[in-house]
Amino acid sequence: MAGFRSYTSNEPRTFADKIIGWGVNAKLVIRIPEPKMPRVSRDINSQKERWAIGALAANDERLARRLEAPLRSQLMFFGSIRGWVAGRALLRKRQDGSTEVDVTPWDPVHTYWGMGADGLAWACHVSYMSAADIRAVYPHADLPDASITQDAGAVDDSDGIAVYDYYDATHNQVVMKDVTLKPATRHGSRRVPVFIIPAGATPFLAPYQQGEQVSLREPGGLQGESVFAAARGLYPAYNQVLSARQELMMRARDSSYTLTSRDGSKTLDANPFSEGTNEVPLAEGEKLEPLTLIEMTRDADVFSATILGEIQRAQLPHTIFGNIQFQLSGFAINTLRQGIDTQIQPRLNVVQAALNQALRLLADQYATGAFEPMTVRGRDNSNEPFDDVVDPQIIRQGGEFEVQLIGILPQDD
């Protein structure tokens, strides 16, 4: 409210940072499980595992050159904050003929798609680029140099212009308003090279409605909720209580008062109850009295404790942050920490599902033999460094990937 102090808790931000941090620091294990394998098969699968690890490492290097966060960091952010993860997974040929890995996360808010009988039928991501970036990324596009920003609705060259990156099962095309930046080109994947996954266990729920038609817009909001789903409505009430406490605290420091004088016109230059004021000279018949302070009611304390308790049950107990108000046994602390899994595990599941889909899309493209053999580098599941050239035939012969993210949580210590 205008004229009153306002306090905003950092609770949502610290909670989200914790969840994202745990996901980013989780141990990534990529393996191809196949019991009782002959020696040749084990060697092939080991090479395919190293190819997957090296491909993700090469992709992170590409993202770093683009001033973007690593793949897992972005996926964990979107899975936690947006409640969905999306992106494309492609292999590209550089100008020198070598193979480049392109797994690019998309913001789900700006991603659109349609479903077919066997999954995605098409997907489109909208990004915003400056006119200079558009000219640099698509140098062969027929751009109106002088009027590109005006035609696209931008005011000047620094404004973002909507660019639509469209994929179907065969082609990729990039357009902006009235301009084709990249004509329909075969992308080399056997299906739409895009992954789109909601977080959590909520299925598609049609609203209850009489008649034969229902809205398809509303149910989508029930899928893929963020980590704030259970506490979203609690934060405004919590901030309101804290704001009221701050206002009363500041009023107590600079207390209001009444000043009685003979003609009622006497005033003081400063609040006599402020810090640093020791005495106030008064004439005979003048009187200075502080007003009674307004205090929070008992119900306010109960209400505040109730909100805080529900926030903790909805997200993370305060013991996770090292905030223990009184002595607790180790068993009690570990019991409180068991609530972490209900928040972190759905986010880990959606990220590992995205990585699994991305790797399978890349493997299908590489196995066609249309790309030059890749040199991959990194550390395998045994933390041993490797620097290998993996032939596409190895990818065709190997088994299916199994991606696992193992969260390293406080109770593990």
Side-chain angles (χ1 to χ4, degrees):
M1 295 177 62
F4 292 89
R5 292 174 177 84
S6 177
Y7 184 92
T8 302
S9 172
N10 69 344
E11 190 87 17
R13 177 62 182 265
T14 54
F15 167 49
D17 286 345
K18 274 288 185 184
I19 296 296
I20 295 171
W22 281 329
V24 171
N25 294 322
K27 182 180 180 182
L28 175 63
V29 179
I30 301 174
R31 60 165 58 96
I32 301 176
E34 194 172 337
K36 300 180 180 179
M37 296 178 293
R39 182 65 189 175
V40 175
S41 180
R42 284 201 300 270
D43 291 340
I44 290 175
N45 284 337
S46 294
Q47 290 186 62
K48 188 172 181 179
E49 290 173 359
R50 290 195 291 271
W51 175 84
I53 295 171
L56 292 180
N59 186 69
D60 283 344
E61 292 180 8
R62 181 188 66 85
L63 291 174
R65 291 194 299 271
R66 293 167 51 90
L67 306 182
E68 296 185 33
L71 176 63
R72 282 173 55 193
S73 299
Q74 294 193 53
L75 293 177
M76 196 65 197
F77 175 88
F78 288 128
S80 301
I81 305 302
R82 300 298 199 199
W84 291 74
V85 294
R88 67 164 179 254
L90 283 172
L91 291 178
R92 301 184 183 277
K93 291 183 179 180
R94 298 188 181 96
Q95 292 184 352
D96 61 0
S98 61
T99 304
E100 180 183 48
V101 181
D102 179 1
V103 184
T104 301
W106 289 348
D107 186 347
V109 170
H110 301 289
T111 302
Y112 307 87
W113 67 90
M115 300 300 294
D118 297 321
L120 286 176
W122 61 269
C124 181
H125 178 248
V126 184
S127 59
Y128 295 87
M129 304 170 62
S130 69
D133 289 342
I134 292 175
R135 295 187 184 98
V137 175
Y138 303 100
H140 302 295
D142 185 13
L143 297 175
D145 293 335
S147 61
I148 178 175
T149 55
Q150 287 77 11
D151 291 345
V155 176
D156 56 44
D157 195 68
S158 63
D159 286 347
I161 302 170
V163 176
Y164 300 84
D165 192 7
Y166 174 84
Y167 295 85
D168 59 21
T170 308
H171 296 94
N172 165 227
Q173 186 175 12
V174 183
V175 301
M176 53 177 280
K177 183 180 179 181
D178 300 329
V179 177
T180 297
L181 301 177
K182 177 183 177 182
T185 307
R186 297 183 66 89
H187 50 60
S189 179
R190 294 184 295 182
R191 57 187 186 274
V192 181
V194 173
F195 54 88
I196 301 173
I197 309 169
T202 304
F204 181 88
L205 299 176
Y208 175 78
Q209 180 175 335
Q210 294 181 350
E212 297 181 355
Q213 294 182 345
V214 298
S215 172
L216 294 179
R217 295 180 181 272
E218 295 300 328
L222 301 178
Q223 285 184 297
E225 269 284 12
S226 73
V227 292
F228 304 119
R232 186 178 294 116
L234 299 174
Y235 296 132
Y238 186 53
N239 287 335
Q240 189 175 20
V241 171
L242 293 178
S243 297
R245 289 188 176 277
Q246 183 187 32
E247 178 69 23
L248 294 179
M249 180 184 68
M250 299 307 292
R251 287 187 182 185
R253 189 191 68 174
D254 299 327
S255 178
S256 300
Y257 60 91
T258 61
L259 178 60
T260 304
S261 61
R262 292 182 179 182
D263 58 0
S265 62
K266 183 178 179 63
T267 60
L268 300 178
D269 294 334
N271 190 331
F273 298 102
S274 298
E275 184 178 359
T277 304
N278 297 321
E279 59 183 33
V280 178
L282 295 175
E284 184 179 355
E286 295 178 344
K287 183 169 60 175
L288 178 67
E289 293 180 330
L291 292 177
T292 304
L293 293 177
I294 302 175
E295 297 181 354
M296 299 286 285
T297 65
R298 295 181 181 178
D299 293 338
D301 290 334
V302 175
F303 181 57
S304 177
T306 301
I307 295 174
L308 191 56
E310 290 188 346
I311 288 177
Q312 287 196 64
R313 289 189 291 274
Q315 49 183 47
L316 295 174
H318 287 179
T319 55
I320 297 303
F321 302 94
N323 183 15
I324 302 177
Q325 301 293 339
F326 45 85
Q327 187 172 1
L328 289 175
S329 67
F331 175 79
I333 294 175
N334 286 332
T335 301
L336 289 173
R337 288 176 173 172
Q338 289 176 357
I340 300 175
D341 288 338
T342 60
Q343 289 291 353
I344 184 63
Q345 199 56 49
R347 314 303 151 184
L348 294 178
N349 290 344
V350 72
V351 172
Q352 69 185 23
L355 293 174
N356 193 61
Q357 285 196 29
L359 287 175
R360 293 190 180 193
L361 285 167
L362 295 177
D364 287 346
Q365 297 166 38
Y366 192 57
T368 62
F371 298 91
E372 290 294 323
M374 293 173 55
T375 299
V376 291
R377 302 176 180 86
R379 290 183 176 271
D380 59 20
N381 293 325
S382 302
N383 203 32
E384 294 294 328
F386 62 86
D387 187 342
D388 299 336
V389 177
V390 180
D391 191 89
Q393 184 177 357
I394 297 295
I395 306 303
R396 287 195 294 269
Q397 295 176 353
E400 293 292 341
F401 294 115
E402 182 181 276
V403 179
Q404 187 178 14
L405 281 175
I406 304 174
I408 303 174
L409 304 178
Q411 62 261 39
D412 299 330
D413 295 333

